């Protein structure tokens, strides 16, 4: 079955960096667009970035100059490199496959001094 497992979250100071990973299994990963979402505390889940099968990449405007989405199709893994982190980046980060509506369990990111 489809499985998405995020990792790499943690506590980081403002200005720091984290690299999130999403290990995918149970489907032909290269054939699907993949997204990152996040849910800040007390707020609704929001879209962060997408990497399509055709190589199109797009970001939420507030992260576009700090985050980088990438994918390793050979190893069925999606990444999110997050630099210059801000307290407002705090939240649970999710990997998402829109086709079929599949979510991972999330990984917590806390940006705080």
């Amino acid at each position: 079955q489809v499985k998405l497992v995020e990792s790499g979250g943690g506590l980081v100071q403002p200005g720091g960096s984290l690299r999130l990973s999403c290990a995918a299994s149970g489907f032909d990963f290269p054939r699907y667009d993949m997204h990152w979402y996040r849910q800040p505390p007390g707020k609704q889940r929001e879209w962060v970035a997408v990497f399509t099968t055709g190589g199109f990449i797009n970001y939420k405007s507030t992260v576009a100059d700090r985050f980088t989405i990438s994918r390793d199709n050979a190893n069925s893994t999606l990444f999110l490199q997050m630099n210059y982190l801000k307290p407002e980046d705090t939240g649970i980060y999710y990997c998402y496959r829109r086709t079929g509506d599949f979510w991972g369990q999330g990984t917590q990111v806390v940006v705080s001094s």
Side-chain angles (χ1 to χ4, degrees):
Q1 73 278 18
V2 173
K3 192 173 182 182
L4 302 170
V5 180
E6 300 92 338
S7 62
L11 172 64
V12 62
Q13 292 188 341
S17 297
L18 284 173
R19 189 190 194 211
L20 306 184
S21 299
C22 170
S25 60
F27 65 101
D28 190 2
F29 181 77
R31 295 184 60 188
Y32 291 89
D33 300 346
M34 296 298 299
H35 301 255
W36 284 102
Y37 277 73
R38 69 186 181 189
Q39 187 162 17
K43 297 184 179 180
Q44 289 189 333
R45 198 171 294 188
E46 61 186 21
W47 175 79
V48 174
V50 61
F51 197 130
T52 73
T53 58
F56 174 75
I57 291 173
N58 199 19
Y59 299 96
K60 178 180 175 64
S61 61
T62 56
V63 309
D65 58 346
R66 300 181 294 118
F67 290 10
T68 302
I69 187 172
S70 61
R71 61 193 295 166
D72 179 352
N73 284 337
N75 290 296
S76 298
T77 306
L78 183 72
F79 300 100
L80 187 68
Q81 177 68 42
M82 306 187 295
N83 299 326
Y84 305 106
L85 282 160
K86 303 177 181 180
E88 51 264 43
D89 295 318
T90 294
I92 302 173
Y93 283 70
Y94 299 90
C95 179
Y96 177 61
R97 195 190 92 176
R98 183 161 292 165
T99 304
D101 193 28
F102 291 100
W103 295 91
Q105 85 290 346
T107 185
Q108 178 104 37
V109 172
V110 177
V111 185
S112 175
S113 55

